[in-house]
């Protein structure tokens, strides 16, 4: 699971590491998992962002039109059928340094999840601009968790997230 294997210091906050592990294990409390555990009824299991299909972990981060719009806005285009466990396979634009690309991917995945929770629990309207802003702001915070020789990489992330707003 390359998403979790990182040779740099731990720039990810502990809760983001737990999120990543749950994501690649398909253990997030997605609506499909809640349906399987009979916590939700079938009529409550569609994606809260698009309403099109049952919300699985993979749909949430790659298949949902909302998630696809985030990836496309940063110049990445993972196939909608990509499994969440294969998140490390998402190719990113040249502007994202290879050394820190796994952190950038994780930052985007984390904020897709957080935004989904905001839609579900705080009744926010889905907003690509808000997700991009939150990714941008957290990128600048995560910068100080990176080793000194990789801190400048985050400026390229921030430029990518700040460009063409969404």
């Amino acid at each position: 699971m390359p998403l979790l294997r990182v040779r740099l210091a731990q720039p990810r906050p502990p809760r983001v590491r737990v999120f990543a592990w749950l994501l690649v294990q398909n253990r997030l409390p997605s609506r499909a998992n809640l349906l399987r555990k009979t916590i939700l009824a079938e009529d409550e299991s569609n994606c809260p962002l698009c309403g099109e299909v049952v919300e699985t972990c993979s749909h949430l981060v790659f298949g949902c039109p909302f998630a696809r719009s985030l990836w496309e806005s940063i110049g990445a285009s993972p196939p909608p059928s990509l499994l969440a466990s294969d998140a490390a396979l998402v190719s990113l634009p040249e502007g994202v340094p290879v050394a820190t690309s796994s952190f950038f991917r994780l930052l985007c995945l984390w904020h897709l999840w957080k935004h989904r929770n905001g839609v579900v629990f705080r009744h926010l309207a889905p907003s690509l601009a808000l997700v991009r802003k939150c990714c941008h702001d957290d990128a600048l915070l995560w910068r100080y968790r990176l080793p000194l020789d990789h801190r400048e990489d985050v400026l390229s992330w921030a430029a990518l997230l700040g460009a063409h707003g969404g």
Side-chain angles (χ1 to χ4, degrees):
M1 289 170 242
L3 180 64
L4 297 175
R5 290 187 195 155
V6 179
R7 292 192 173 95
L8 299 174
Q10 293 294 330
R12 303 159 298 165
R15 69 177 150 228
V16 178
R17 282 183 265 163
V18 171
F19 159 77
W21 184 84
L22 290 170
L23 178 68
V24 299
Q25 298 295 321
N26 193 29
R27 298 274 189 202
L28 286 174
S30 67
R31 291 185 171 200
N33 286 340
L34 296 175
L35 176 64
R36 184 177 48 79
K37 294 175 182 180
T38 66
I39 295 171
L40 286 181
E42 193 165 340
D43 63 333
E44 302 171 303
S45 62
N46 280 4
C47 175
L49 297 171
C50 71
E52 293 179 10
V53 297
V54 172
E55 179 201 50
T56 63
C57 292
S58 298
H59 172 78
L60 173 68
V61 295
F62 299 122
C64 180
F66 183 83
R68 287 197 311 265
S69 67
L70 173 66
W71 293 114
E72 289 169 5
S73 77
I74 60 170
S77 52
S81 59
L82 188 66
L83 297 175
S85 58
D86 294 328
L89 302 177
V90 174
S91 58
L92 297 172
E94 287 184 26
V96 178
V98 175
T100 56
S101 62
S102 62
F103 299 120
F104 181 73
R105 269 187 216 95
L106 187 54
L107 177 74
C108 295
L109 293 165
W110 170 242
H111 280 287
L112 278 169
W113 174 249
K114 284 183 66 174
H115 190 67
R116 174 260 188 210
N117 288 339
V119 169
V120 170
F121 298 113
R122 292 185 290 143
H123 308 290
L124 297 177
S127 168
L128 179 60
L130 180 59
V131 174
R132 288 174 57 98
K133 181 187 181 325
C134 290
C135 285
H136 178 274
D137 294 349
D138 265 6
L140 297 177
L141 292 174
W142 286 15
R143 177 180 186 196
Y144 296 101
R145 292 173 164 263
L146 287 167
L148 288 172
D149 56 331
H150 290 289
R151 287 186 181 171
E152 294 305 309
D153 292 0
V154 176
L155 299 179
S156 64
W157 303 359
L160 193 60
L161 291 163
H164 34 69

